């Protein structure tokens, strides 16, 4: 079967389970094709520059598109509207949506890392019931809050040895029972986002529970 369009196709993304594929065209319109009827069932227009990548959600309900205009848009196929619109500091060069629907991963120009974004609708923290009317400014997350080990105090002396000693003492008196109690009391949906605010050392300790038990 041959489908004739009035413009060139820059990218193709398919969803075999839903029987759909999306065509990112040079006229900045994303066209969704139904493999059964061999017809265009949706046309999404909104980006102002070349479309860099696209991906479907696993169930084929949502289509994610990124563009050199630094935006990412989320299109809802059943309602044929844009339900989310994000803008970043740098253009998104590649994106993918997790099969379980929890996260969106993006790669950005002039950045070597991969950023993960939580799908709040998946955890019941957002309701998608209307079209997006404006862009939401997004800030790329930091790789981590690392502190220089050779910290110099106000009197010019290095605190690295002192902090190393304090760190060793903290390991020896780590409140293991408190950690376990806190983990048991956390609910899945409410705490998954909040846990990211805890110190990194708390997560390192979870992998050394047997060793900590022996120490205590």
């Amino acid at each position: 079967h041959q489908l004739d369009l009035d413009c060139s196709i820059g990218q193709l993304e398919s969803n075999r389970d839903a029987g759909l594929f999306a065509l990112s065209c040079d006229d900045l319109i994303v066209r969704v094709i139904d493999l059964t009827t061999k017809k265009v069932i949706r046309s999404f227009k909104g980006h102002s520059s070349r479309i860099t990548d696209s991906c479907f959600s696993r169930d084929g309900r949502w289509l994610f598109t990124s563009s050199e205009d630094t935006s990412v848009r989320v299109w809802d196929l059943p309602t044929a509207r844009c339900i989310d619109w994000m803008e970043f500091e740098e253009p998104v060069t590649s994106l993918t949506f997790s099969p379980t629907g929890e996260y969106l991963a993006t790669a950005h120009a002039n950045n070597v890392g991969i950023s993960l974004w939580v799908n709040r609708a998946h955890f019941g923290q957002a309701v998608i019931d209307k079209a997006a009317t404006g862009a939401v400014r997004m800030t790329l997350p930091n790789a981590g809050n690392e502190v220089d080990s050779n910290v110099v105090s106000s009197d010019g002396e290095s605190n690295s040895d002192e902090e190393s000693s304090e760190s060793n003492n903290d390991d020896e008196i780590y409140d293991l029972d408190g950690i376990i109690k806190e983990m048991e009391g956390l609910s899945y949906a409410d705490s998954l986002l909040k846990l990211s605010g805890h110190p990194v050392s708390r997560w390192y300790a979870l992998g050394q529970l047997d060793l900590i038990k022996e120490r205590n």
Side-chain angles (χ1 to χ4, degrees):
H1 183 81
Q2 181 175 340
L3 182 65
D4 295 326
L5 300 175
D6 297 332
C7 61
S8 300
I9 299 172
Q11 188 183 45
L12 184 149
E13 180 70 22
S14 65
N15 185 315
R16 294 179 180 270
D17 295 336
L20 302 171
F21 62 88
L23 305 177
S24 301
C25 303
D26 290 345
D27 60 358
L28 308 182
I29 297 177
V30 180
R31 295 172 171 86
V32 180
I33 312 297
D34 188 325
L35 295 177
T36 302
T37 61
K38 308 297 191 299
K39 295 182 178 180
V40 177
I41 59 172
R42 291 288 186 269
S43 294
F44 297 124
K45 183 178 181 180
H47 290 298
S48 59
S49 187
R50 185 181 69 89
I51 298 171
T52 58
D53 201 7
S54 63
C55 69
F56 282 101
S57 60
R58 185 171 185 177
D59 58 4
R61 179 183 178 88
W62 293 346
L63 174 65
F64 299 78
T65 59
S66 60
S67 170
E68 289 182 346
D69 61 10
T70 73
S71 71
V72 169
R73 290 176 180 258
V74 184
W75 310 94
D76 186 68
L77 270 68
T79 60
R81 62 187 180 185
C82 177
I83 57 174
D84 206 353
W85 177 8
M86 298 163 283
E87 287 189 352
F88 299 86
E89 299 171 0
E90 298 288 349
V92 174
T93 57
S94 180
L95 55 78
T96 187
F97 196 55
S98 63
T100 54
E102 296 171 320
Y103 306 104
L104 175 69
T106 60
H108 298 259
N110 303 318
N111 284 273
V112 295
I114 297 176
S115 301
L116 291 178
W117 309 93
V118 173
N119 175 20
R120 295 190 301 170
H122 179 84
F123 298 102
Q125 296 187 353
V127 179
I128 308 300
D129 59 354
K130 59 183 179 180
T133 57
V136 177
R137 295 295 300 176
M138 308 292 289
T139 302
L140 295 180
N142 295 326
N145 297 325
E146 298 181 357
V147 179
D148 189 354
S149 59
N150 295 320
V151 179
V152 178
S153 63
S154 58
D155 57 4
E157 297 181 358
S158 174
N159 295 333
S160 58
D161 294 338
E162 180 181 352
E163 291 180 359
S164 177
S165 176
E166 292 178 356
S167 177
N168 293 335
N169 293 335
D170 290 342
D171 289 341
E172 294 177 0
I173 60 174
Y174 210 94
D175 185 8
L176 177 61
D177 293 336
I179 295 176
I180 296 176
K181 183 177 180 180
E182 181 179 355
M183 293 295 292
E184 291 176 347
L186 293 173
S187 63
Y188 178 78
D190 293 338
S191 59
L192 188 58
L193 300 179
K194 297 177 183 177
L195 290 178
S196 60
H198 287 304
V200 177
S201 59
R202 176 156 298 189
W203 303 115
Y204 288 162
L206 293 179
Q208 305 294 334
L209 287 180
D210 294 337
L211 179 60
I212 296 175
K213 289 179 179 179
E214 293 177 0
R215 284 185 176 182
N216 295 338

